[in-house]
């Protein structure tokens, strides 16, 4: 076996240059489209007739599915941007909030339910910003279950003919998980802050 002498003339790999991601990539476009669907969904929900109710449900479900689509596109093709990180949760909360508030205005969902869910969402968002200098609180599995239950519960309320008992059971489960995951975020935020303080004290 012959050893090749090191002459210093071998080609060296060029340093990786970060790829600039366009703001208007497909993932962000899908997010913006979801946000644009919100007013159309609300209009359909307030119009009388079963046909409009079904139309509102279709728009809601399509918008909900785009939440999965834009995240998958961003991760798979490296299209993560600061705009997407901000716009995606705004679009999600706008859709959920519009649905809950609209159903409460129509007298189909108690206001306290809407207040609890939206209060939790606002609280967790503020909490994330408050501890951002200490670190990022990652999304939990419970958060995904919470989102799925909220979507299912809202669907039950929009869809005509669903028994009231079934609606209350699903919405009740959504409220319980929503509150539970909110408390979990508070606990994790406190722990994150304590760890950050200990790290600074020992440095």
């Amino acid at each position: 076996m012959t050893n090749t002498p090191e002459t210093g003339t071998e080609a060296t790999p060029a340093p990786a240059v970060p790829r600039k991601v366009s703001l208007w990539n497909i993932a962000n476009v899908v997010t913006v489209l979801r946000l644009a669907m919100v007013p159309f969904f609300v209009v359909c929900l307030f119009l009388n007739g079963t046909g409009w109710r079904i139309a509102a449900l279709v728009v809601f479900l399509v918008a909900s599915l785009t939440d999965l689509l834009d995240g998958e596109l961003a991760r798979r093709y490296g299209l993560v941007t600061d705009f997407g990180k901000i716009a995606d949760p705004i679009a999600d909360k706008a859709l959920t909030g519009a649905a809950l508030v609209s159903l409460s205005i129509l007298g189909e969902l108690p206001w306290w339910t809407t207040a609890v869910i939206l209060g939790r969402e606002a609280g967790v968002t503020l909490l994330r910003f408050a501890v951002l200098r200490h670190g990022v609180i990652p999304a939990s599995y419970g958060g995904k279950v919470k989102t799925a239950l909220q979507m299912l519960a809202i669907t039950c309320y929009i869809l005509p003919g669903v028994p009231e008992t079934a609606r209350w059971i699903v919405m009740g489960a959504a409220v319980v998980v929503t509150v539970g995951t909110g408390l979990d975020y508070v606990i994790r935020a406190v722990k994150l802050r304590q760890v950050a303080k200990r790290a600074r004290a020992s440095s």
Side-chain angles (χ1 to χ4, degrees):
M1 180 176 178
T2 305
N3 293 327
T4 304
E6 294 183 1
T7 61
T9 59
E10 291 84 357
T12 57
V17 178
R19 182 171 64 94
K20 186 175 181 181
V21 180
S22 171
L23 181 66
W24 290 109
N25 59 66
I26 185 62
N28 287 348
V29 169
V30 171
T31 300
V32 172
L33 285 176
R34 179 163 74 260
L35 194 58
M37 289 181 192
V38 174
F40 185 60
F41 158 72
V42 172
V43 170
C44 292
L45 193 58
F46 276 91
L47 292 175
N48 294 323
T50 303
W52 285 112
R53 262 297 167 114
I54 299 299
L57 178 60
V58 170
V59 174
F60 179 77
L61 292 177
V62 170
S64 299
L65 289 175
T66 62
D67 181 29
L68 301 175
L69 179 61
D70 59 5
E72 177 63 24
L73 288 172
R75 288 186 296 271
R76 177 173 296 186
Y77 298 107
L79 302 176
V80 178
T81 62
D82 290 338
F83 172 81
K85 292 177 183 178
I86 296 173
D88 183 64
I90 289 176
D92 296 342
K93 288 174 176 55
L95 179 64
T96 303
L100 294 171
V101 171
S102 297
L103 289 169
S104 292
I105 292 175
L106 291 169
E108 299 178 27
L109 182 67
W111 276 105
W112 70 263
T113 303
T114 296
V116 168
I117 294 177
L118 296 187
R120 181 270 187 197
E121 298 296 346
V124 168
T125 300
L126 292 174
L127 187 63
R128 281 176 167 170
F129 280 112
V131 300
L132 194 58
R133 65 181 184 277
H134 303 302
V136 177
I137 304 177
S140 63
Y141 176 75
K144 296 178 181 179
V145 174
K146 177 267 302 180
T147 301
L149 280 174
Q150 287 181 1
M151 296 298 117
L152 179 59
I154 292 171
T155 298
C156 289
Y157 273 84
I158 298 175
L159 184 64
V162 177
E164 194 66 25
T165 303
R167 288 175 172 174
W168 264 110
I169 290 174
V170 180
M171 184 60 77
V175 170
V176 169
V177 175
T178 296
V179 173
T181 53
L183 294 174
D184 176 62
Y185 271 108
V186 172
I187 294 171
R188 290 199 287 162
V190 171
K191 289 181 178 179
L192 177 63
R193 185 175 180 180
Q194 291 174 344
V195 170
K197 281 186 175 180
R198 286 196 296 266
R200 286 198 299 269
S202 60
S203 60

